[in-house]
Amino acid sequence: STSRVAGTAAQLAYAAATLPGFIAPLAAPYAGTWWYLACLFPPSAASLFAACLVNWEIVSVGISWHTAALPVSQGSAFSVNTVLAMLALDVVLY
């Protein structure tokens, strides 16, 4: 039926939208352009937010108002605030 096809298509689209969020940290472990592009897909942005959270939890700091603006690595400007800003851009785009 068409509802079954639509449900399967939605699941595949969601899975495809999460892939950049999982591939970006592998392709560029210290953030970079790939991380910004991956954030254009909301499921990938959620994955990269989790990557930022894990990064701050490893050093026993966690995410706070202070750490949200700090980059995830010294060689980049990507931060939790970047993910939130990209999600806001996603709202406008979609």
Side-chain angles (χ1 to χ4, degrees), residues 38-43 45 82-94:
C39 279
L40 291 176
F41 299 102
T82 305
V83 176
L84 298 176
M86 292 300 284
L87 282 170
L89 177 64
D90 288 343
V91 168
V92 173
L93 291 175
Y94 295 113

Side-chain angles (χ1 to χ4, degrees), residues 11-80:
Q11 290 174 348
L12 290 174
Y14 180 81
T18 61
L19 283 178
F22 291 116
I23 294 172
L26 297 174
Y30 301 107
T33 306
W34 286 106
W35 288 48
Y36 293 95
L37 293 175
C39 279
L40 291 176
F41 299 102
S44 290
S47 174
L48 292 174
F49 181 87
C52 292
L53 174 63
V54 167
N55 200 19
W56 287 113
E57 289 295 330
I58 286 172
V59 294
S60 300
V61 175
I63 295 177
S64 66
W65 290 112
H66 174 69
T67 58
L70 297 176
V72 293
S73 68
Q74 291 182 354
S76 76
F78 195 87
S79 67
V80 171

